[in-house]
Amino acid sequence: MLTGRQKIIYTNNSPDTLHALHMNLYVNAFRKNSRMHRYHEERDKYYGGSLISYVPEAYLGYSKVQNIRDELGRLLSQREDDTLLEITLAEAIPPGGVCTLTLDFEVKIPAQIRRMGRFNREGVSFSIAQWYPKLCVYDHRGWHKNYYLAREFFGEFATWDVSITLPAHYIVGASGHLTNADNIYAMMMSEPESTSMDRVLPSNGNQDSIPEGVESLQRNLAEITRQQSVTVPNRTWRYHAEDIHDFAFAADPDYKVEMFDHRGVRVNLLCLPDVEQRWAPMKEWVTKIIDYMEAHVGRYPYPELTVAQAGDGGMEYPNIVFITGRRGNFSLASVTAHELIHNWFYGLLANDETHEAWFDEGITSYYTTRLMEHLFGRYANREYETEFQKKWFPREDARIATFTGWAHWVKQGYEEPVLTHSDYFKSDPSYSMATYYKGQIFMNALEYRYGRERLDSLMRDFFEVYQKHHTLTDDFKRFLEYKTGEKLDSLFDQWLNTIEYCDYGIAHITNSKNAAGQNQVKVKLVRRGAITMPVDLYLKLTDGSWTGVRIPARHDDPNKPGLKRWTEWPASDPTYTLTMITDLPVDRAEIDTSGRLPDIFRMNNRSGFLPKTEWHWQRPLGILPTADTYVIEHRPSLWYNQTDAARIGWKMRGKWATDEHQIKAGVYAGTRSRTIDYEITYSTPMYSIGRQVFVDMASYKLDGVFQNELSFRKKWFGGAYERPPYYDVSLGLRTSRRFNSTYLNPGVFWEKGDVHVLTASLQWQPQIFDSPRLKMTVETSTFASDYTFTKADLTYYKPWVLKRNVATLESRIFAGLADGNVPLQDQFYLAGASPRQMFVNPWYRSGGTLPEKGWRDASGQRHIYYDGQGSMAGYADSNALGMHIIAINLDLKLTNPLKPLIKKEILFITQFEPMLFFDAGGVSGKSGKRRHSIPSLVFDAGCGFRYLPAFIPSWMGNYAIKAEFPLWVSDPSLAGQSGKSWAFRWLIGFENAIR
Ligand SMILES: [Zn+2]
């Protein structure tokens, strides 16, 4: 419980008479049934709802205000509504008038839920923000009364004197300047070393259907109770601050403090002992961040700056930032940079974050990227932790990642205007794409427009004039207009108020001789998007030299150093032809070589039929393409099967930055078979047709099969982006023929002849976590097929969480029906995947790749297993197949019993997931040459485990090895070792993702 007394001296700087004052009581958001609670219950229902639902009443929070009196001691009436409080004044405040209020408040500090609270997930005792009754802003737009829904803030500048009294062993970091420092440090020195208490440091457990943080929250509740019972003497920390608009503090008994002075600023770094090592470079980063911001934006005008390990991610407050500490190097550097940079924008330019979040987040993100490039270089400045990774993924680049992430979003049609109220974006990704990403992109567009030097000088001037004032996007626009003499309405409007896009392209170049015999080049340009921008066009002459021109979109567009100014491209014209006399013919033309023009389709920014292409040796994670390069990675390939023997080949894959036009291809030669095989696949999202539409094509001749495929897929989301229910529909055509059967594994049947089919499938998933899933497929033979048939199947899967993180029962039903003449490779298999499904996986595709004995040992048992279809491992030896199938599979998945006992992850011991299974099923119906069906229902049961090799890093994909021991079968005549229901049978396979 926090009790406080607040005295406010309020000056009415507006021309209006104020009869009432409005305040925010943010902590009331942490009550059950608050607006924030309801907002997140509804908005995040597929993610488990609001965190508040998981916290017992005793650990929630509230804020209570009492005794509001004016300077004459009159008790004022108040009306509370969720996170807002209205105070009716006894006497109105005239323009220029001053009113003094005193009030008492009481805050029950909630467990850490959103931004503030007790015991965050890293164990910091107090992260105290948005805690006191805070005056709403009154400006020319009126009162800014926003209910707190967990997003942004807006507050009045003031002079502050704040005293914080806490038990003496706490170390505090806060906004403002500590005025009784000598006193406090002297007292602390004279005390015995550790007065702090042991704590439970929660780990980041794997939480499925409950919101992030619930688990650690619950563990911390016990600790809160324990600490509340401890009584120790108090100590008071006194702070003074001027010209800041919010006040936050963090406190913990175990904080390690590093203090230093940098350019007249006292910097305090506070972290818990367990992250001290990771925080070692913090001092260097913070000094470089301050230096960079002071050089490019303006001076940090306060005496102190604190970086505290606290909160629930990264959050900026004036003079103090809260950062969670358990992060990798780049993440820690970039969050620190981002939150500190906010002190220049949110802090000093004090925009209204609720209505114009981009003006803070977008500009801050733009400088964050610049700072990361400054600290670590243009490339490899994100994500990667080790030198090894840096070496292997050197193209990782925050600037391009921002651009491609955003371009992808725009092309999918999910964009919302940047200047949307923060609380009304359709989804969280939509909010961050508009404010962080597009805000940054807009700053890039300004840098493109002016060049960096000019933009920096404009920003410095703007900051100088507007710091310590509330600033709006419009102020920024008008300031630029005033400084440059340009009219910027259309620029700001198009980028910030609409979802139009920018796309320029080069149609063609022609070189010719004019009447005077000079070389004359004509470059035809096209504009496809509605947004108009100046076009920086670069021309490469045949001798390799470059020349550049700027084609203005408006008469008052600025000149850019190094570029000749050309004639205007009027907004009315979709095309433009530049005619120019050059010394030599022009070889190539390129629009914007800097990558700063936010042109969402950069492939056409270069002349020539083919886009700019780069070839690289393939790397595990792939090379990140730059925005205007098609990247092809290639590598040799070596494989083995019984027919080809060693198979030597060469593979390549190509990709565009926004996932368009993905090509994979390979050519292989069998050393024994002397045959040449090939495969080529092409897939691309079809943005022009609609959201989430993809086309896939494949053609191959591989291991005795010749096949061609074409399919269209479309995904639907239930509501906003990536919200369930999910639907996935595909339609396709497949022609295939096996012309060589010597490749087949023992016991795998595949009939020769043409099998041509039309396929349709539907998948459905109604929730995110613990969701049932349904998949239906229909296949029917088509023209020129040697087999005439129709088949349909259905898979329904549902998990039942018996006890979270302990036991889950996964149930599955598989049913199939077929009619006509179905080739053996396409019939239904009781035990596992059909031959056609196995063909997709190269390990299972052909004989000899996996040991032949595994497919059929001396006693007729199969040990290699590929899960799928009836999924009854107990009957793997029988190869039972047919025209009709029904199977029910129940898997009880358990946590490794050793896991709670062994704290550390130990390879080969803690990474096993045991399970028990029981299946029932049968196949029937005869078609074609053979009959393998079994007449009645059979059952099997056993145990097994999944092994998740954690030494394979997650970026390489998810691998799992599955072992199954079907110890009991109801019909032993179908299961190898005949006559025995109970026997030791074992099967091993790679996890199949069909489930
Ligand atoms: Zn931010």
Side-chain angles (χ1 to χ4, degrees):
M1 191 68 73
L2 183 155
T3 51
R5 165 158 290 194
Q6 192 176 15
K7 181 178 177 188
I8 303 166
I9 303 168
Y10 184 82
T11 308
N12 178 8
N13 291 320
S14 80
D16 308 327
T17 300
L18 301 178
H19 299 274
L21 293 176
H22 296 270
M23 294 186 116
N24 294 290
L25 302 177
Y26 295 118
V27 192
N28 281 345
F30 304 104
R31 295 188 297 203
K32 283 238 154 79
N33 210 30
S34 68
R35 282 171 197 255
M36 179 170 90
H37 183 200
R38 275 142 48 201
Y39 181 79
H40 288 276
E41 276 297 268
E42 171 56 28
R43 213 174 157 88
D44 300 337
K45 63 183 168 196
Y46 299 108
Y47 300 89
S50 165
L51 213 52
I52 293 175
S53 302
Y54 295 83
V55 180
E57 194 73 47
Y59 300 104
L60 290 172
Y62 61 77
S63 179
K64 267 204 189 107
V65 178
Q66 285 164 337
N67 260 334
I68 309 176
R69 290 177 192 275
D70 61 15
E71 56 269 42
L72 299 176
R74 286 174 292 201
L75 196 63
L76 303 180
S77 75
Q78 51 170 311
R79 197 173 63 84
E80 184 192 304
D81 175 15
D82 198 60
T83 59
L84 291 174
L85 181 78
E86 182 178 347
I87 302 167
T88 309
L89 297 167
E91 225 166 281
I93 320 172
V98 178
C99 157
T100 304
L101 292 181
T102 53
L103 57 87
D104 295 325
F105 66 98
E106 184 181 284
V107 173
K108 179 146 170 293
I109 305 166
Q112 176 86 29
I113 292 168
R114 173 67 176 157
R115 295 210 165 123
M116 68 95 66
R118 302 203 56 180
F119 270 89
N120 78 350
R121 98 177 84 113
E122 299 183 343
V124 174
S125 298
F126 292 110
S127 306
I128 307 298
Q130 71 215 38
W131 53 286
Y132 56 91
K134 181 175 165 184
L135 273 174
C136 298
V137 174
Y138 183 80
D139 64 13
H140 63 283
R141 296 170 300 169
W143 282 105
H144 289 261
K145 296 184 285 178
N146 285 296
Y147 295 104
Y148 183 62
L149 302 179
R151 217 154 236 158
E152 304 297 335
F153 303 97
F154 192 29
E156 289 287 14
F157 281 103
T159 301
W160 305 69
D161 285 293
V162 181
S163 301
I164 302 164
T165 304
L166 272 165
H169 59 289
Y170 278 92
I171 293 169
V172 178
S175 302
H177 171 61
L178 182 63
T179 53
N180 63 338
D182 298 346
N183 215 334
I184 279 204
Y185 298 132
M187 283 199 292
M188 283 168 67
M189 298 289 224
S190 66
E191 276 165 15
E193 239 307 278
S194 181
T195 47
S196 77
M197 295 167 267
D198 290 329
R199 71 195 55 230
V200 187
L201 282 184
S203 71
N204 261 328
N206 176 31
Q207 296 120 19
D208 281 326
S209 69
I210 49 177
E212 200 197 342
V214 165
E215 199 180 90
S216 58
L217 228 165
Q218 287 168 348
R219 267 192 254 176
N220 290 336
L221 300 181
E223 186 57 21
I224 294 178
T225 316
R226 202 173 72 76
Q227 289 209 1
Q228 272 171 347
S229 62
V230 180
T231 43
V232 269
N234 288 337
R235 172 177 295 146
T236 298
W237 300 62
R238 293 181 207 286
Y239 291 88
H240 177 78
E242 277 164 33
D243 293 322
I244 60 172
H245 54 71
D246 200 358
F247 191 100
F249 68 95
D252 192 280
D254 286 339
Y255 269 147
K256 297 274 168 195
V257 184
E258 186 181 354
M259 272 183 288
F260 59 92
D261 286 306
H262 182 66
R263 295 164 68 104
V265 179
R266 161 67 56 89
V267 180
N268 311 297
L269 308 176
L270 308 178
C271 70
L272 295 181
D274 70 310
V275 302
E276 222 181 344
Q277 280 252 289
R278 297 176 201 222
W279 281 49
M282 193 64 98
K283 181 176 176 181
E284 187 197 331
W285 293 336
V286 173
T287 55
K288 283 186 170 166
I289 292 164
I290 294 174
D291 290 348
Y292 192 90
M293 291 306 288
E294 294 205 333
H296 295 94
V297 179
R299 250 196 83 63
Y300 178 79
Y302 303 109
E304 274 192 62
L305 182 58
T306 300
V307 179
Q309 182 189 359
D312 58 356
M315 187 59 194
E316 70 279 6
Y317 301 100
N319 309 164
I320 186 169
V321 297
F322 289 0
I323 284 162
T324 46
R326 292 183 200 156
R327 297 167 177 276
N329 201 43
F330 290 108
S331 166
L332 191 58
S334 100
V335 175
T336 306
H338 182 97
E339 306 310 340
L340 286 179
I341 293 167
H342 270 307
N343 260 279
W344 275 259
F345 297 106
Y346 144 90
L348 280 151
L349 293 184
N351 67 306
D352 174 357
E353 288 182 294
T354 313
H355 282 88
E356 300 190 342
W358 90 270
F359 195 56
D360 170 33
E361 296 299 352
I363 298 181
T364 297
S365 299
Y366 166 75
Y367 283 100
T368 307
T369 301
R370 282 179 58 167
L371 254 157
M372 289 304 280
E373 291 182 5
H374 174 68
L375 293 174
F376 301 103
R378 165 81 193 267
Y379 299 106
N381 59 21
R382 322 167 64 227
E383 310 297 337
Y384 303 117
E385 297 304 311
T386 64
E387 283 304 311
F388 171 82
Q389 286 173 332
K390 263 177 104 160
K391 185 169 149 54
W392 280 85
F393 318 115
R395 289 286 280 279
E396 191 60 21
D397 168 2
R399 194 190 298 183
I400 295 304
T402 307
F403 172 78
T404 52
W406 169 75
H408 203 225
W409 183 256
V410 173
K411 288 178 179 188
Q412 290 187 93
Y414 290 114
E415 203 182 15
E416 291 180 75
V418 170
L419 287 172
T420 301
H421 187 289
S422 301
D423 293 331
Y424 299 126
F425 280 99
K426 288 186 184 128
S427 65
D428 292 345
S430 186
Y431 164 75
S432 63
M433 277 295 165
T435 59
Y436 292 77
Y437 280 68
K438 197 177 181 183
Q440 177 172 359
I441 297 283
F442 180 65
M443 290 301 290
N444 282 340
L446 291 181
E447 189 184 318
Y448 169 79
R449 188 178 169 84
Y450 295 112
R452 182 176 284 194
E453 249 171 64
R454 177 92 172 105
L455 178 64
D456 279 353
S457 103
L458 290 167
M459 288 302 287
R460 273 192 300 266
D461 291 347
F462 177 63
F463 184 81
E464 187 59 39
V465 173
Y466 276 86
Q467 60 169 303
K468 299 182 180 173
H469 290 83
H470 291 303
T471 321
L472 293 165
T473 303
D474 201 51
D475 298 322
F476 182 46
K477 191 197 86 179
R478 285 190 298 172
F479 184 83
L480 293 181
E481 287 179 337
Y482 157 73
K483 276 284 182 188
T484 62
E486 299 157 14
K487 195 75 188 128
L488 298 173
D489 291 341
S490 67
L491 181 83
F492 274 69
D493 196 49
Q494 285 186 312
W495 284 105
L496 303 178
N497 283 320
T498 77
I499 53 168
E500 298 296 343
Y501 60 88
C502 171
D503 176 19
Y504 284 98
I506 296 172
H508 54 78
I509 318 177
T510 44
N511 286 290
S512 60
K513 295 276 180 220
N514 67 5
Q518 293 164 300
N519 188 70
Q520 178 181 288
V521 65
K522 284 189 178 185
V523 183
K524 190 180 175 195
L525 302 169
V526 289
R527 192 190 68 236
R528 298 218 172 82
I531 292 187
T532 55
M533 290 287 287
V535 175
D536 293 354
L537 183 69
Y538 294 85
L539 303 170
K540 189 185 177 196
L541 307 183
T542 45
D543 68 349
S545 63
W546 286 87
T547 176
V549 299
R550 164 161 279 198
I551 302 164
R554 290 174 48 89
H555 62 91
D556 58 2
D557 277 349
N559 296 321
K560 202 167 178 181
L563 299 175
K564 276 174 240 166
R565 188 184 176 86
W566 218 252
T567 56
E568 182 193 336
W569 180 342
S572 52
D573 306 347
T575 62
Y576 177 93
T577 303
L578 169 134
T579 310
M580 191 176 172
I581 305 293
T582 49
D583 299 339
L584 287 164
V586 171
D587 206 30
R588 207 169 78 208
E590 223 171 308
I591 295 170
D592 175 39
T593 49
S594 75
R596 288 291 188 195
L597 174 68
D599 178 325
I600 61 160
F601 193 71
R602 295 189 68 98
M603 202 163 6
N604 58 10
N605 283 25
R606 206 178 135 103
S607 63
F609 177 68
L610 287 175
K612 188 172 159 192
T613 305
E614 281 180 18
W615 290 76
H616 294 274
W617 287 102
Q618 189 172 320
R619 298 177 185 192
L621 192 65
I623 306 257
L624 193 85
T626 64
D628 45 11
T629 317
Y630 191 79
V631 165
I632 297 170
E633 294 175 87
H634 58 96
R635 65 173 171 90
S637 139
L638 179 66
W639 199 250
Y640 181 85
N641 66 52
Q642 63 200 15
T643 307
D644 293 327
R647 202 190 66 181
I648 297 162
W650 184 74
K651 285 173 96 108
M652 61 79 87
R653 61 183 191 200
K655 190 181 147 187
W656 196 254
T658 42
D659 292 335
E660 290 152 295
H661 308 295
Q662 297 183 48
I663 296 173
K664 286 184 187 164
V667 185
Y668 317 100
T671 51
R672 186 195 300 146
S673 62
R674 310 255 161 188
T675 56
I676 303 286
D677 280 1
Y678 70 86
E679 61 183 321
I680 179 159
T681 65
Y682 170 81
S683 64
T684 192
M686 299 174 79
Y687 297 122
S688 54
I689 290 185
R691 289 176 185 176
Q692 308 289 344
V693 181
F694 306 87
V695 62
D696 299 285
M697 286 185 250
S699 174
Y700 52 84
K701 173 180 168 283
L702 275 179
D703 298 21
V705 171
F706 180 66
Q707 186 158 312
N708 294 296
E709 290 169 39
L710 168 68
S711 71
F712 295 91
R713 283 182 288 141
K714 175 155 174 65
K715 283 196 235 172
W716 279 276
F717 300 135
Y721 181 66
E722 286 190 343
R723 292 286 162 95
Y726 307 129
Y727 295 93
D728 201 323
V729 173
S730 87
L731 282 174
L733 174 68
R734 184 183 71 222
T735 68
S736 82
R737 179 173 76 238
R738 178 170 284 279
F739 56 88
N740 181 341
S741 299
T742 62
Y743 286 93
L744 293 172
N745 270 304
V748 175
F749 312 121
W750 196 302
E751 294 186 66
K752 288 196 178 180
D754 289 327
V755 184
H756 300 170
V757 292
L758 282 169
T759 61
S761 80
L762 166 73
Q763 288 184 60
W764 168 73
Q765 183 180 336
Q767 284 157 35
I768 292 182
F769 305 111
D770 306 328
S771 175
R773 270 171 271 160
L774 176 73
K775 183 176 181 182
M776 289 187 289
T777 316
V778 181
E779 236 174 71
T780 180
S781 57
T782 176
F783 63 91
S785 177
D786 295 337
Y787 298 82
T788 307
F789 63 92
T790 300
K791 60 180 262 206
D793 63 46
L794 175 154
T795 312
Y796 181 75
Y797 164 89
K798 176 154 177 53
W800 310 82
V801 179
L802 305 178
K803 189 161 167 41
R804 184 155 308 280
N805 295 333
V806 176
T808 302
L809 181 68
E810 297 187 344
S811 62
R812 178 180 178 268
I813 297 169
F814 179 74
L817 267 176
D819 185 42
N821 179 18
V822 187
L824 292 171
Q825 62 268 32
D826 289 312
Q827 290 195 22
F828 298 116
Y829 285 71
L830 184 65
S834 71
R836 190 175 296 281
Q837 287 168 336
M838 280 194 236
F839 188 87
V840 175
N841 187 328
W843 290 95
Y844 293 84
R845 186 176 293 157
S846 296
T849 306
L850 294 173
E852 197 180 326
K853 282 224 170 82
W855 290 90
R856 198 164 290 287
D857 72 6
S859 66
Q861 271 201 299
R862 183 182 280 192
H863 300 298
I864 289 171
Y865 184 59
Y866 197 34
D867 200 2
Q869 302 218 339
S871 195
M872 293 185 70
Y875 297 91
D877 307 328
S878 74
N879 231 336
L881 74 157
M883 299 285 283
H884 316 297
I885 188 167
I886 177 94
I888 294 168
N889 315 111
L890 298 173
D891 286 7
L892 181 66
K893 301 220 158 144
L894 304 163
T895 30
N896 188 323
L898 296 174
K899 238 181 181 166
L901 302 174
I902 303 170
K903 284 272 151 58
K904 245 176 127 66
E905 287 276 299
I906 300 174
L907 226 63
F908 304 114
I909 297 181
T910 54
Q911 288 157 17
F912 286 100
E913 280 183 358
M915 60 148 186
L916 300 170
F917 64 85
F918 171 80
D919 309 296
V923 279
S924 66
K926 176 179 157 23
S927 167
K929 293 169 210 144
R930 289 183 234 198
R931 183 193 174 89
H932 292 272
S933 59
I934 48 175
S936 60
L937 278 186
V938 291
F939 307 91
D940 71 359
C943 59
F945 61 82
R946 240 159 52 105
Y947 174 61
L948 305 149
F951 57 87
I952 300 177
S954 59
W955 47 262
M956 284 186 70
N958 296 314
Y959 291 90
I961 294 163
K962 195 170 168 187
E964 294 197 30
F965 308 98
L967 302 174
W968 176 79
V969 294
S970 67
D971 187 345
S973 68
L974 289 163
Q977 293 169 339
S978 58
K980 282 191 240 165
S981 273
W982 288 93
F984 181 73
R985 304 177 187 89
W986 61 274
L987 292 151
I988 196 151
F990 299 110
E991 174 86 303
N992 187 352
I994 289 171
R995 273 177 189 271

